[in-house]
Amino acid sequence: MNPITTFDLSKFEHSSLTRFAGANITVGGLVSAAVILAGAFVLSWIVTRALRRVRERSDRSRQVVYLLERLASYGIIVFGVISALSAAGLNLSSLAVFAGALGIGVGLGLQGVVKEFVSGLFLIFDRMVSVGDYIEIEDIGIRGAIMEIGPRALRVRTNDNVNVLVPNSRLIEQPVTNWTLKGDTRRIHVPFSVAYGADRGKVRDAVLAAARASPFTLPETEARKSQVWLVSFGDKGLDFELLVWPTRDAVKRPAAMHAAYTWLVADALDEAGIEVPLPQTDLRIRSAFGLEGDDALRRLGYGKGPAPRAAAPAAGRAPSANDAAEDVIRPADIEPPADNA
């Protein structure tokens, strides 16, 4: 290589651009800073991607791996920025006064961003909500699984595959319902009604058998049992509630889960020959044309008909398809594949 060319490149590398905070900024320093900063971002992306794959394969330590993933990403970026400033020739100690003034400006102009970032750190360390939890924010009508807690907002994916960004501070300042806190489940109530005169014991046995046979009902324990309650005497019939403990995956699909259990109850009542009440109005005529009772009805042109009988179960009826049950069984923690088109 020509010595003159080497000398010229070296001279260009050390050529001064400007002075900032008592430091001489050179072309070589800026190039080195850019390389270090780019390397930090690339390293952060690689480490984050690797830890994300570990988290997706893990069953019990997802929150711990996610915490490590966030800390590693932030730590690498901060270390890269500090190293880039040093490589550019800036003396960080000489920037103390400038950094203080800059911090005041950032605090006033970007206080919302700083607030969300600090709130995100609190959410990660507090662990009252974790990645994979199913939450509900009632006042804004958001209900879904937490897929990511970012520096500004967390990403909530609804069961309709709609991703909603919720500010981190929203979960700290306002009430939030966590349906799967610490990986647990919850009891649900499924209301249904039967006609007056139905055998209550038969109703209970039929509905409980259907609920216990469901693939999304947890095995019963002493503390968690499926039950059927008679809750009220309604206008059209007896009002019951099925109380059941569903699986954690079923809890993450509340609408489909409720529809699935309602369908199971309807099938169980049909198979047991138990009548479901229909909307009806009884008109009692005490007197018409000086006549009462059956005589009054005959004068109006109506005879006394036979008493209605409960519908008998159809012989050999095949179980009906239950689309909601299939939707409940489908795993909920796996995101749909990205569209590369």
Side-chain angles (χ1 to χ4, degrees), residues 117-163:
F117 179 78
V118 175
S119 299
L121 294 179
F122 272 105
L123 291 177
I124 292 175
F125 284 100
D126 187 53
R127 300 183 66 179
M128 286 296 100
V129 292
S130 305
V131 173
D133 285 348
Y134 195 89
I135 65 172
E136 179 179 4
I137 307 176
E138 297 182 1
D139 58 342
I140 58 177
I142 298 299
R143 188 167 60 184
I146 299 177
M147 307 308 299
E148 181 182 1
I149 301 178
R152 188 190 65 84
L154 54 85
R155 180 167 62 92
V156 178
R157 192 189 71 195
T158 68
N159 291 334
D160 294 328
N161 198 29
V162 177
N163 291 282

Side-chain angles (χ1 to χ4, degrees), residues 3-23:
I4 298 179
T5 304
T6 304
F7 174 79
D8 292 339
L9 289 177
S10 177
K11 182 178 180 180
F12 176 76
E13 178 183 355
H14 293 88
S15 60
S16 177
L17 293 177
T18 184
R19 296 187 63 84
F20 181 77

Side-chain angles (χ1 to χ4, degrees), residues 36-46 76-77 81:
I36 293 174
L37 197 59
F41 277 101
V42 172
L43 180 60
S44 174
W45 181 82
I46 294 175
I76 292 175
I77 295 299
V81 171

